[in-house]
Amino acid sequence: MQCPICYGEMELVSDETITNVNRCGTCHGLHFELLNQKNLDDVAQHVHLDTGDDSLGDKYNEMVYVECPKYDMIMDQRSIDDPIKIRFELCIACHATFLDAGEFREYMSDEYHDKFRELLPEN
Ligand SMILES: [Zn+2]
Ligand SMILES: [Zn+2]
Protein backbone atom coordinates (compact mmCIF):
# COMPACT_ATOMS: atom_id res chain seq x y z
CA MET A 1 0.00 0.00 0.00
CA GLN A 2 1.25 3.45 -0.91
CA CYS A 3 1.27 6.26 1.64
CA PRO A 4 -1.40 8.85 0.76
CA ILE A 5 0.75 11.64 2.21
CA CYS A 6 4.30 11.09 0.95
CA TYR A 7 3.78 8.15 -1.46
CA GLY A 8 6.27 6.03 0.46
CA GLU A 9 5.72 2.32 1.00
CA MET A 10 3.40 1.37 3.86
CA GLU A 11 3.52 -1.93 5.71
CA LEU A 12 0.92 -3.69 7.78
CA VAL A 13 1.92 -3.38 11.45
CA SER A 14 -1.20 -4.44 13.36
CA ASP A 15 -2.15 -7.90 14.47
CA GLU A 16 -5.56 -9.38 13.76
CA THR A 17 -7.11 -8.21 17.03
CA ILE A 18 -7.77 -4.73 15.73
CA THR A 19 -8.47 -2.97 12.46
CA ASN A 20 -5.69 -3.07 9.87
CA VAL A 21 -3.06 -0.46 10.62
CA ASN A 22 -0.37 0.37 8.06
CA ARG A 23 2.69 2.43 8.84
CA CYS A 24 4.67 4.40 6.28
CA GLY A 25 8.39 3.61 6.10
CA THR A 26 9.18 7.17 5.03
CA CYS A 27 6.98 9.64 6.98
CA HIS A 28 5.96 7.06 9.64
CA GLY A 29 2.33 8.15 9.39
CA LEU A 30 -0.32 5.61 10.40
CA HIS A 31 -3.25 4.58 8.24
CA PHE A 32 -6.18 2.91 10.02
CA GLU A 33 -8.46 0.95 7.76
CA LEU A 34 -11.38 1.73 10.04
CA LEU A 35 -11.46 4.05 13.00
CA ASN A 36 -14.66 5.11 14.72
CA GLN A 37 -16.09 5.80 18.15
CA LYS A 38 -16.82 2.09 18.64
CA ASN A 39 -13.38 0.64 18.03
CA LEU A 40 -11.29 3.55 19.27
CA ASP A 41 -10.75 2.17 22.75
CA ASP A 42 -9.55 -1.18 21.39
CA VAL A 43 -7.27 0.50 18.90
CA ALA A 44 -5.98 2.80 21.66
CA GLN A 45 -4.29 -0.23 23.28
CA HIS A 46 -1.86 -0.18 20.38
CA VAL A 47 -0.25 3.24 20.68
CA HIS A 48 3.14 1.50 20.46
CA LEU A 49 2.51 1.23 16.71
CA ASP A 50 3.16 4.97 16.52
CA THR A 51 6.94 4.82 16.44
CA GLY A 52 7.57 7.93 14.39
CA ASP A 53 9.20 11.08 15.61
CA ASP A 54 6.87 14.04 16.25
CA SER A 55 8.98 16.28 14.05
CA LEU A 56 8.32 14.02 11.05
CA GLY A 57 4.61 14.46 11.61
CA ASP A 58 4.92 18.23 11.71
CA LYS A 59 6.72 18.19 8.40
CA TYR A 60 3.84 16.47 6.62
CA ASN A 61 0.97 17.91 8.61
CA GLU A 62 0.36 20.76 6.18
CA MET A 63 -0.71 18.52 3.31
CA VAL A 64 -4.34 19.33 2.65
CA TYR A 65 -5.40 17.12 -0.25
CA VAL A 66 -4.98 13.52 0.75
CA GLU A 67 -6.49 10.73 -1.31
CA CYS A 68 -7.97 7.67 0.34
CA PRO A 69 -5.88 4.73 -0.94
CA LYS A 70 -9.03 2.63 -1.21
CA TYR A 71 -11.56 4.89 -2.89
CA ASP A 72 -9.44 7.39 -4.86
CA MET A 73 -11.29 10.24 -3.28
CA ILE A 74 -10.07 13.19 -1.27
CA MET A 75 -10.22 12.52 2.43
CA ASP A 76 -12.05 14.93 4.68
CA GLN A 77 -9.94 17.02 6.99
CA ARG A 78 -11.24 16.95 10.53
CA SER A 79 -9.94 19.56 12.88
CA ILE A 80 -10.52 21.65 15.95
CA ASP A 81 -8.22 24.34 17.30
CA ASP A 82 -9.87 25.04 20.58
CA PRO A 83 -9.16 24.23 23.35
CA ILE A 84 -6.52 22.03 21.76
CA LYS A 85 -5.36 21.55 18.19
CA ILE A 86 -6.34 18.29 16.52
CA ARG A 87 -6.06 17.76 12.77
CA PHE A 88 -6.27 14.59 10.76
CA GLU A 89 -7.64 13.02 7.58
CA LEU A 90 -10.77 10.89 7.53
CA CYS A 91 -12.37 9.21 4.53
CA ILE A 92 -16.12 9.74 4.72
CA ALA A 93 -16.69 6.79 2.37
CA CYS A 94 -14.86 4.01 4.23
CA HIS A 95 -13.98 5.70 7.57
CA ALA A 96 -10.27 5.14 7.11
CA THR A 97 -8.16 7.60 9.08
CA PHE A 98 -4.64 8.85 8.52
CA LEU A 99 -2.58 10.22 11.40
CA ASP A 100 0.84 11.79 11.03
CA ALA A 101 3.76 10.43 13.05
CA GLY A 102 3.31 11.11 16.75
CA GLU A 103 -0.35 12.11 16.47
CA PHE A 104 -1.81 8.79 17.53
CA ARG A 105 0.25 8.85 20.74
CA GLU A 106 -0.79 12.44 21.34
CA TYR A 107 -4.50 11.97 20.65
CA MET A 108 -4.74 8.92 22.90
CA SER A 109 -3.45 10.87 25.88
CA ASP A 110 -6.00 11.95 28.50
CA GLU A 111 -5.92 15.53 27.37
CA TYR A 112 -6.89 14.79 23.76
CA HIS A 113 -8.78 11.50 23.85
CA ASP A 114 -12.36 12.73 24.27
CA LYS A 115 -12.05 15.54 21.74
CA PHE A 116 -10.49 13.23 19.18
CA ARG A 117 -13.27 10.71 19.70
CA GLU A 118 -15.94 13.32 19.00
CA LEU A 119 -14.40 13.99 15.60
CA LEU A 120 -14.69 10.33 14.55
CA PRO A 121 -17.74 8.75 12.92
CA GLU A 122 -19.99 6.79 15.27
CA ASN A 123 -19.44 3.49 13.50
ZN1 LIG B 1 4.31 8.53 4.22
ZN1 LIG C 1 -11.86 5.65 1.93
Side-chain angles (χ1 to χ4, degrees):
M1 175 174 160
Q2 199 181 40
C3 175
I5 298 275
C6 75
Y7 310 114
E9 197 54 42
M10 300 197 88
E11 72 166 320
L12 187 66
V13 289
S14 58
D15 59 39
E16 67 276 10
T17 60
I18 52 168
T19 184
N20 282 347
V21 183
N22 283 272
R23 186 172 59 219
C24 176
T26 305
C27 74
H28 294 206
L30 292 177
H31 178 274
F32 300 84
E33 189 173 53
L34 178 71
L35 195 62
N36 56 37
Q37 296 185 3
K38 269 192 185 138
N39 74 358
L40 179 63
D41 288 338
D42 290 334
V43 178
Q45 308 301 314
H46 300 263
V47 280
H48 59 271
L49 297 176
D50 190 5
T51 55
D53 196 279
D54 291 2
S55 59
L56 273 171
D58 291 344
K59 186 175 161 199
Y60 292 98
N61 200 26
E62 297 310 315
M63 295 272 306
V64 179
Y65 298 107
V66 179
E67 259 185 40
C68 173
K70 202 163 166 183
Y71 281 90
D72 290 336
M73 62 180 282
I74 302 297
M75 296 173 86
D76 224 24
Q77 193 168 70
R78 293 286 164 102
S79 65
I80 52 167
D81 288 318
D82 191 43
I84 44 179
K85 185 172 171 178
I86 295 179
R87 186 157 297 159
F88 64 97
E89 279 74 31
L90 170 81
C91 176
I92 53 169
C94 68
H95 293 174
T97 292
F98 188 92
L99 298 178
D100 294 314
E103 287 184 342
F104 186 39
R105 274 198 313 266
E106 189 171 26
Y107 296 165
M108 289 307 104
S109 67
D110 288 348
E111 189 186 4
Y112 287 86
H113 179 272
D114 291 352
K115 290 289 172 200
F116 178 64
R117 192 171 187 276
E118 285 171 24
L119 295 173
L120 293 174
E122 278 182 39
N123 51 49

mmCIF file of all heavy atoms in Angstrom, residues 25-64:
data_model
loop_
_atom_site.group_PDB
_atom_site.id
_atom_site.type_symbol
_atom_site.label_atom_id
_atom_site.label_comp_id
_atom_site.label_asym_id
_atom_site.label_seq_id
_atom_site.Cartn_x
_atom_site.Cartn_y
_atom_site.Cartn_z
ATOM 1 N N GLY A 25 6.967 3.721 5.828
ATOM 2 C CA GLY A 25 8.388 3.605 6.099
ATOM 3 C C GLY A 25 9.133 4.916 5.923
ATOM 4 O O GLY A 25 10.270 5.060 6.370
ATOM 5 N N THR A 26 8.512 5.898 5.283
ATOM 6 C CA THR A 26 9.180 7.175 5.034
ATOM 7 C C THR A 26 8.744 8.253 6.033
ATOM 8 O O THR A 26 9.552 8.785 6.775
ATOM 9 C CB THR A 26 8.900 7.663 3.596
ATOM 10 O OG1 THR A 26 9.293 6.638 2.684
ATOM 11 C CG2 THR A 26 9.668 8.946 3.291
ATOM 12 N N CYS A 27 7.448 8.565 6.076
ATOM 13 C CA CYS A 27 6.982 9.639 6.979
ATOM 14 C C CYS A 27 6.501 9.088 8.321
ATOM 15 O O CYS A 27 6.213 9.846 9.245
ATOM 16 C CB CYS A 27 5.896 10.477 6.311
ATOM 17 S SG CYS A 27 4.276 9.668 6.178
ATOM 18 N N HIS A 28 6.391 7.752 8.429
ATOM 19 C CA HIS A 28 5.961 7.059 9.638
ATOM 20 C C HIS A 28 4.529 7.390 10.054
ATOM 21 O O HIS A 28 4.149 7.184 11.198
ATOM 22 C CB HIS A 28 6.938 7.324 10.807
ATOM 23 C CG HIS A 28 8.297 6.752 10.577
ATOM 24 N ND1 HIS A 28 9.144 6.396 11.601
ATOM 25 C CD2 HIS A 28 8.956 6.456 9.443
ATOM 26 C CE1 HIS A 28 10.283 5.919 11.086
ATOM 27 N NE2 HIS A 28 10.190 5.960 9.788
ATOM 28 N N GLY A 29 3.749 7.922 9.127
ATOM 29 C CA GLY A 29 2.331 8.150 9.393
ATOM 30 C C GLY A 29 1.604 6.818 9.527
ATOM 31 O O GLY A 29 2.080 5.791 9.038
ATOM 32 N N LEU A 30 0.458 6.834 10.207
ATOM 33 C CA LEU A 30 -0.325 5.614 10.403
ATOM 34 C C LEU A 30 -1.647 5.719 9.654
ATOM 35 O O LEU A 30 -2.350 6.720 9.750
ATOM 36 C CB LEU A 30 -0.616 5.392 11.892
ATOM 37 C CG LEU A 30 0.548 5.051 12.811
ATOM 38 C CD1 LEU A 30 0.029 4.941 14.247
ATOM 39 C CD2 LEU A 30 1.220 3.747 12.390
ATOM 40 N N HIS A 31 -1.976 4.658 8.926
ATOM 41 C CA HIS A 31 -3.254 4.584 8.237
ATOM 42 C C HIS A 31 -4.093 3.483 8.889
ATOM 43 O O HIS A 31 -3.676 2.332 8.958
ATOM 44 C CB HIS A 31 -3.036 4.256 6.757
ATOM 45 C CG HIS A 31 -4.312 4.120 5.983
ATOM 46 N ND1 HIS A 31 -5.001 2.937 5.919
ATOM 47 C CD2 HIS A 31 -5.034 5.020 5.265
ATOM 48 C CE1 HIS A 31 -6.094 3.123 5.189
ATOM 49 N NE2 HIS A 31 -6.129 4.376 4.778
ATOM 50 N N PHE A 32 -5.265 3.869 9.399
ATOM 51 C CA PHE A 32 -6.177 2.914 10.024
ATOM 52 C C PHE A 32 -7.265 2.587 9.016
ATOM 53 O O PHE A 32 -7.949 3.478 8.528
ATOM 54 C CB PHE A 32 -6.805 3.527 11.278
ATOM 55 C CG PHE A 32 -5.797 3.931 12.315
ATOM 56 C CD1 PHE A 32 -5.162 5.161 12.248
ATOM 57 C CD2 PHE A 32 -5.478 3.077 13.362
ATOM 58 C CE1 PHE A 32 -4.219 5.532 13.197
ATOM 59 C CE2 PHE A 32 -4.538 3.443 14.322
ATOM 60 C CZ PHE A 32 -3.913 4.666 14.242
ATOM 61 N N GLU A 33 -7.448 1.330 8.744
ATOM 62 C CA GLU A 33 -8.456 0.954 7.760
ATOM 63 C C GLU A 33 -9.853 1.363 8.205
ATOM 64 O O GLU A 33 -10.692 1.734 7.394
ATOM 65 C CB GLU A 33 -8.413 -0.554 7.527
ATOM 66 C CG GLU A 33 -9.265 -1.003 6.370
ATOM 67 C CD GLU A 33 -9.070 -2.471 6.058
ATOM 68 O OE1 GLU A 33 -9.194 -3.292 6.989
ATOM 69 O OE2 GLU A 33 -8.765 -2.787 4.902
ATOM 70 N N LEU A 34 -10.086 1.301 9.508
ATOM 71 C CA LEU A 34 -11.379 1.725 10.043
ATOM 72 C C LEU A 34 -11.170 2.259 11.450
ATOM 73 O O LEU A 34 -10.623 1.573 12.311
ATOM 74 C CB LEU A 34 -12.358 0.535 10.086
ATOM 75 C CG LEU A 34 -13.734 0.837 10.664
ATOM 76 C CD1 LEU A 34 -14.550 1.715 9.716
ATOM 77 C CD2 LEU A 34 -14.502 -0.456 10.946
ATOM 78 N N LEU A 35 -11.575 3.492 11.657
ATOM 79 C CA LEU A 35 -11.461 4.053 12.997
ATOM 80 C C LEU A 35 -12.741 4.828 13.290
ATOM 81 O O LEU A 35 -13.139 5.701 12.536
ATOM 82 C CB LEU A 35 -10.232 4.978 13.097
ATOM 83 C CG LEU A 35 -9.787 5.353 14.514
ATOM 84 C CD1 LEU A 35 -9.383 4.113 15.308
ATOM 85 C CD2 LEU A 35 -8.621 6.337 14.485
ATOM 86 N N ASN A 36 -13.406 4.444 14.367
ATOM 87 C CA ASN A 36 -14.655 5.112 14.717
ATOM 88 C C ASN A 36 -14.804 5.126 16.239
ATOM 89 O O ASN A 36 -13.923 4.645 16.971
ATOM 90 C CB ASN A 36 -15.850 4.419 14.042
ATOM 91 C CG ASN A 36 -15.931 2.938 14.377
ATOM 92 O OD1 ASN A 36 -15.645 2.523 15.493
ATOM 93 N ND2 ASN A 36 -16.324 2.139 13.397
ATOM 94 N N GLN A 37 -15.907 5.686 16.706
ATOM 95 C CA GLN A 37 -16.093 5.804 18.151
ATOM 96 C C GLN A 37 -16.197 4.445 18.827
ATOM 97 O O GLN A 37 -15.858 4.285 19.992
ATOM 98 C CB GLN A 37 -17.343 6.653 18.443
ATOM 99 C CG GLN A 37 -17.164 8.080 17.948
ATOM 100 C CD GLN A 37 -18.307 8.999 18.323
ATOM 101 O OE1 GLN A 37 -19.243 8.594 19.023
ATOM 102 N NE2 GLN A 37 -18.245 10.228 17.868
ATOM 103 N N LYS A 38 -16.659 3.433 18.065
ATOM 104 C CA LYS A 38 -16.822 2.093 18.635
ATOM 105 C C LYS A 38 -15.502 1.379 18.862
ATOM 106 O O LYS A 38 -15.304 0.731 19.895
ATOM 107 C CB LYS A 38 -17.684 1.236 17.704
ATOM 108 C CG LYS A 38 -19.157 1.309 18.021
ATOM 109 C CD LYS A 38 -19.896 0.216 17.267
ATOM 110 C CE LYS A 38 -21.388 0.361 17.471
ATOM 111 N NZ LYS A 38 -22.132 0.127 16.216
ATOM 112 N N ASN A 39 -14.603 1.430 17.877
ATOM 113 C CA ASN A 39 -13.379 0.640 18.025
ATOM 114 C C ASN A 39 -12.190 1.436 18.579
ATOM 115 O O ASN A 39 -11.124 0.891 18.788
ATOM 116 C CB ASN A 39 -13.009 -0.070 16.705
ATOM 117 C CG ASN A 39 -12.433 0.875 15.649
ATOM 118 O OD1 ASN A 39 -12.332 2.085 15.854
ATOM 119 N ND2 ASN A 39 -12.065 0.322 14.517
ATOM 120 N N LEU A 40 -12.412 2.719 18.830
ATOM 121 C CA LEU A 40 -11.286 3.549 19.266
ATOM 122 C C LEU A 40 -10.596 3.022 20.524
ATOM 123 O O LEU A 40 -9.375 2.981 20.587
ATOM 124 C CB LEU A 40 -11.745 4.998 19.493
ATOM 125 C CG LEU A 40 -10.644 5.952 19.980
ATOM 126 C CD1 LEU A 40 -9.545 6.087 18.935
ATOM 127 C CD2 LEU A 40 -11.226 7.323 20.323
ATOM 128 N N ASP A 41 -11.377 2.602 21.503
ATOM 129 C CA ASP A 41 -10.752 2.169 22.755
ATOM 130 C C ASP A 41 -9.926 0.885 22.583
ATOM 131 O O ASP A 41 -8.906 0.708 23.239
ATOM 132 C CB ASP A 41 -11.791 1.997 23.857
ATOM 133 C CG ASP A 41 -12.302 3.355 24.333
ATOM 134 O OD1 ASP A 41 -11.593 4.361 24.128
ATOM 135 O OD2 ASP A 41 -13.413 3.412 24.885
ATOM 136 N N ASP A 42 -10.359 0.019 21.687
ATOM 137 C CA ASP A 42 -9.555 -1.178 21.394
ATOM 138 C C ASP A 42 -8.269 -0.790 20.671
ATOM 139 O O ASP A 42 -7.190 -1.277 20.987
ATOM 140 C CB ASP A 42 -10.341 -2.151 20.502
ATOM 141 C CG ASP A 42 -11.498 -2.776 21.267
ATOM 142 O OD1 ASP A 42 -11.395 -2.862 22.514
ATOM 143 O OD2 ASP A 42 -12.485 -3.173 20.629
ATOM 144 N N VAL A 43 -8.428 0.068 19.689
ATOM 145 C CA VAL A 43 -7.267 0.495 18.905
ATOM 146 C C VAL A 43 -6.280 1.270 19.780
ATOM 147 O O VAL A 43 -5.070 1.194 19.599
ATOM 148 C CB VAL A 43 -7.719 1.352 17.696
ATOM 149 C CG1 VAL A 43 -6.520 1.851 16.900
ATOM 150 C CG2 VAL A 43 -8.644 0.539 16.790
ATOM 151 N N ALA A 44 -6.816 1.981 20.777
ATOM 152 C CA ALA A 44 -5.980 2.797 21.665
ATOM 153 C C ALA A 44 -4.973 1.966 22.455
ATOM 154 O O ALA A 44 -3.974 2.500 22.950
ATOM 155 C CB ALA A 44 -6.860 3.602 22.614
ATOM 156 N N GLN A 45 -5.236 0.649 22.578
ATOM 157 C CA GLN A 45 -4.292 -0.225 23.281
ATOM 158 C C GLN A 45 -2.995 -0.416 22.484
ATOM 159 O O GLN A 45 -2.049 -1.015 22.957
ATOM 160 C CB GLN A 45 -4.908 -1.626 23.508
ATOM 161 C CG GLN A 45 -6.272 -1.626 24.159
ATOM 162 C CD GLN A 45 -6.269 -0.962 25.511
ATOM 163 O OE1 GLN A 45 -5.387 -1.220 26.320
ATOM 164 N NE2 GLN A 45 -7.242 -0.087 25.768
ATOM 165 N N HIS A 46 -2.991 0.088 21.271
ATOM 166 C CA HIS A 46 -1.856 -0.176 20.380
ATOM 167 C C HIS A 46 -1.085 1.085 20.006
ATOM 168 O O HIS A 46 -0.594 1.200 18.892
ATOM 169 C CB HIS A 46 -2.363 -0.891 19.122
ATOM 170 C CG HIS A 46 -3.030 -2.200 19.426
ATOM 171 N ND1 HIS A 46 -2.386 -3.413 19.333
ATOM 172 C CD2 HIS A 46 -4.274 -2.472 19.880
ATOM 173 C CE1 HIS A 46 -3.210 -4.378 19.704
ATOM 174 N NE2 HIS A 46 -4.365 -3.842 20.037
ATOM 175 N N VAL A 47 -0.982 1.997 20.953
ATOM 176 C CA VAL A 47 -0.247 3.236 20.679
ATOM 177 C C VAL A 47 1.219 2.979 20.349
ATOM 178 O O VAL A 47 1.863 3.804 19.713
ATOM 179 C CB VAL A 47 -0.297 4.259 21.844
ATOM 180 C CG1 VAL A 47 -1.591 5.016 21.848
ATOM 181 C CG2 VAL A 47 -0.042 3.589 23.167
ATOM 182 N N HIS A 48 1.736 1.815 20.766
ATOM 183 C CA HIS A 48 3.141 1.503 20.461
ATOM 184 C C HIS A 48 3.403 1.400 18.959
ATOM 185 O O HIS A 48 4.548 1.413 18.522
ATOM 186 C CB HIS A 48 3.546 0.195 21.144
ATOM 187 C CG HIS A 48 2.693 -0.974 20.717
ATOM 188 N ND1 HIS A 48 1.529 -1.310 21.349
ATOM 189 C CD2 HIS A 48 2.822 -1.841 19.697
ATOM 190 C CE1 HIS A 48 0.985 -2.363 20.739
ATOM 191 N NE2 HIS A 48 1.747 -2.693 19.737
ATOM 192 N N LEU A 49 2.331 1.281 18.169
ATOM 193 C CA LEU A 49 2.510 1.229 16.713
ATOM 194 C C LEU A 49 2.982 2.569 16.163
ATOM 195 O O LEU A 49 3.518 2.655 15.066
ATOM 196 C CB LEU A 49 1.194 0.832 16.025
ATOM 197 C CG LEU A 49 0.655 -0.566 16.357
ATOM 198 C CD1 LEU A 49 -0.693 -0.766 15.686
ATOM 199 C CD2 LEU A 49 1.633 -1.654 15.934
ATOM 200 N N ASP A 50 2.765 3.622 16.942
ATOM 201 C CA ASP A 50 3.160 4.967 16.516
ATOM 202 C C ASP A 50 4.605 5.221 16.935
ATOM 203 O O ASP A 50 4.884 5.799 17.974
ATOM 204 C CB ASP A 50 2.218 5.987 17.173
ATOM 205 C CG ASP A 50 2.401 7.383 16.597
ATOM 206 O OD1 ASP A 50 3.182 7.551 15.640
ATOM 207 O OD2 ASP A 50 1.756 8.309 17.108
ATOM 208 N N THR A 51 5.524 4.769 16.089
ATOM 209 C CA THR A 51 6.943 4.822 16.443
ATOM 210 C C THR A 51 7.649 6.053 15.890
ATOM 211 O O THR A 51 8.797 6.303 16.177
ATOM 212 C CB THR A 51 7.684 3.585 15.890
ATOM 213 O OG1 THR A 51 7.448 3.518 14.479
ATOM 214 C CG2 THR A 51 7.186 2.316 16.537
ATOM 215 N N GLY A 52 6.934 6.799 15.062
ATOM 216 C CA GLY A 52 7.565 7.929 14.389
ATOM 217 C C GLY A 52 7.878 9.085 15.316
ATOM 218 O O GLY A 52 7.293 9.241 16.379
ATOM 219 N N ASP A 53 8.792 9.891 14.873
ATOM 220 C CA ASP A 53 9.198 11.078 15.612
ATOM 221 C C ASP A 53 8.195 12.202 15.351
ATOM 222 O O ASP A 53 7.751 12.391 14.233
ATOM 223 C CB ASP A 53 10.585 11.489 15.103
ATOM 224 C CG ASP A 53 11.249 12.449 16.042
ATOM 225 O OD1 ASP A 53 10.906 13.644 15.962
ATOM 226 O OD2 ASP A 53 12.083 12.019 16.848
ATOM 227 N N ASP A 54 7.834 12.945 16.402
ATOM 228 C CA ASP A 54 6.874 14.040 16.248
ATOM 229 C C ASP A 54 7.255 15.020 15.142
ATOM 230 O O ASP A 54 6.414 15.549 14.440
ATOM 231 C CB ASP A 54 6.755 14.843 17.544
ATOM 232 C CG ASP A 54 6.089 14.025 18.635
ATOM 233 O OD1 ASP A 54 5.781 12.848 18.363
ATOM 234 O OD2 ASP A 54 5.881 14.551 19.724
ATOM 235 N N SER A 55 8.542 15.274 15.011
ATOM 236 C CA SER A 55 8.978 16.282 14.046
ATOM 237 C C SER A 55 8.672 15.847 12.611
ATOM 238 O O SER A 55 8.410 16.654 11.736
ATOM 239 C CB SER A 55 10.469 16.565 14.200
ATOM 240 O OG SER A 55 11.207 15.387 14.008
ATOM 241 N N LEU A 56 8.684 14.525 12.372
ATOM 242 C CA LEU A 56 8.317 14.017 11.049
ATOM 243 C C LEU A 56 6.864 14.346 10.759
ATOM 244 O O LEU A 56 6.503 14.769 9.673
ATOM 245 C CB LEU A 56 8.501 12.496 11.003
ATOM 246 C CG LEU A 56 9.859 11.939 10.630
ATOM 247 C CD1 LEU A 56 9.851 10.440 10.859
ATOM 248 C CD2 LEU A 56 10.190 12.244 9.188
ATOM 249 N N GLY A 57 6.023 14.169 11.763
ATOM 250 C CA GLY A 57 4.605 14.462 11.606
ATOM 251 C C GLY A 57 4.375 15.923 11.278
ATOM 252 O O GLY A 57 3.583 16.264 10.403
ATOM 253 N N ASP A 58 5.082 16.796 11.958
ATOM 254 C CA ASP A 58 4.921 18.225 11.710
ATOM 255 C C ASP A 58 5.256 18.577 10.265
ATOM 256 O O ASP A 58 4.609 19.396 9.635
ATOM 257 C CB ASP A 58 5.835 19.040 12.641
ATOM 258 C CG ASP A 58 5.353 18.952 14.086
ATOM 259 O OD1 ASP A 58 4.194 18.547 14.286
ATOM 260 O OD2 ASP A 58 6.130 19.281 14.985
ATOM 261 N N LYS A 59 6.276 17.908 9.748
ATOM 262 C CA LYS A 59 6.720 18.194 8.399
ATOM 263 C C LYS A 59 5.628 17.914 7.364
ATOM 264 O O LYS A 59 5.501 18.605 6.366
ATOM 265 C CB LYS A 59 7.957 17.339 8.106
ATOM 266 C CG LYS A 59 8.625 17.618 6.786
ATOM 267 C CD LYS A 59 9.898 16.788 6.669
ATOM 268 C CE LYS A 59 10.337 16.683 5.216
ATOM 269 N NZ LYS A 59 11.251 15.557 5.029
ATOM 270 N N TYR A 60 4.842 16.871 7.599
ATOM 271 C CA TYR A 60 3.844 16.466 6.620
ATOM 272 C C TYR A 60 2.434 16.936 6.969
ATOM 273 O O TYR A 60 1.501 16.737 6.227
ATOM 274 C CB TYR A 60 3.837 14.936 6.473
ATOM 275 C CG TYR A 60 5.084 14.401 5.837
ATOM 276 C CD1 TYR A 60 6.117 13.880 6.610
ATOM 277 C CD2 TYR A 60 5.237 14.436 4.450
ATOM 278 C CE1 TYR A 60 7.273 13.399 6.014
ATOM 279 C CE2 TYR A 60 6.384 13.957 3.853
ATOM 280 C CZ TYR A 60 7.402 13.438 4.639
ATOM 281 O OH TYR A 60 8.538 12.961 4.042
ATOM 282 N N ASN A 61 2.298 17.560 8.115
ATOM 283 C CA ASN A 61 0.968 17.911 8.611
ATOM 284 C C ASN A 61 0.256 18.957 7.769
ATOM 285 O O ASN A 61 -0.948 19.101 7.843
ATOM 286 C CB ASN A 61 1.075 18.391 10.066
ATOM 287 C CG ASN A 61 -0.254 18.307 10.795
ATOM 288 O OD1 ASN A 61 -1.114 17.496 10.444
ATOM 289 N ND2 ASN A 61 -0.436 19.139 11.784
ATOM 290 N N GLU A 62 0.989 19.682 6.953
ATOM 291 C CA GLU A 62 0.364 20.764 6.182
ATOM 292 C C GLU A 62 -0.295 20.301 4.885
ATOM 293 O O GLU A 62 -0.997 21.042 4.239
ATOM 294 C CB GLU A 62 1.411 21.849 5.864
ATOM 295 C CG GLU A 62 1.981 22.524 7.105
ATOM 296 C CD GLU A 62 0.894 23.014 8.056
ATOM 297 O OE1 GLU A 62 -0.092 23.616 7.576
ATOM 298 O OE2 GLU A 62 1.006 22.780 9.271
ATOM 299 N N MET A 63 -0.071 19.037 4.516
ATOM 300 C CA MET A 63 -0.710 18.516 3.306
ATOM 301 C C MET A 63 -2.228 18.571 3.457
ATOM 302 O O MET A 63 -2.781 18.069 4.418
ATOM 303 C CB MET A 63 -0.314 17.049 3.107
ATOM 304 C CG MET A 63 1.152 16.853 2.843
ATOM 305 S SD MET A 63 1.587 16.955 1.107
ATOM 306 C CE MET A 63 0.475 15.758 0.385
ATOM 307 N N VAL A 64 -2.901 19.174 2.512
ATOM 308 C CA VAL A 64 -4.343 19.331 2.650
ATOM 309 C C VAL A 64 -5.119 18.318 1.811
ATOM 310 O O VAL A 64 -6.093 17.744 2.264
ATOM 311 C CB VAL A 64 -4.775 20.761 2.286
ATOM 312 C CG1 VAL A 64 -6.285 20.893 2.416
ATOM 313 C CG2 VAL A 64 -4.080 21.762 3.209
#
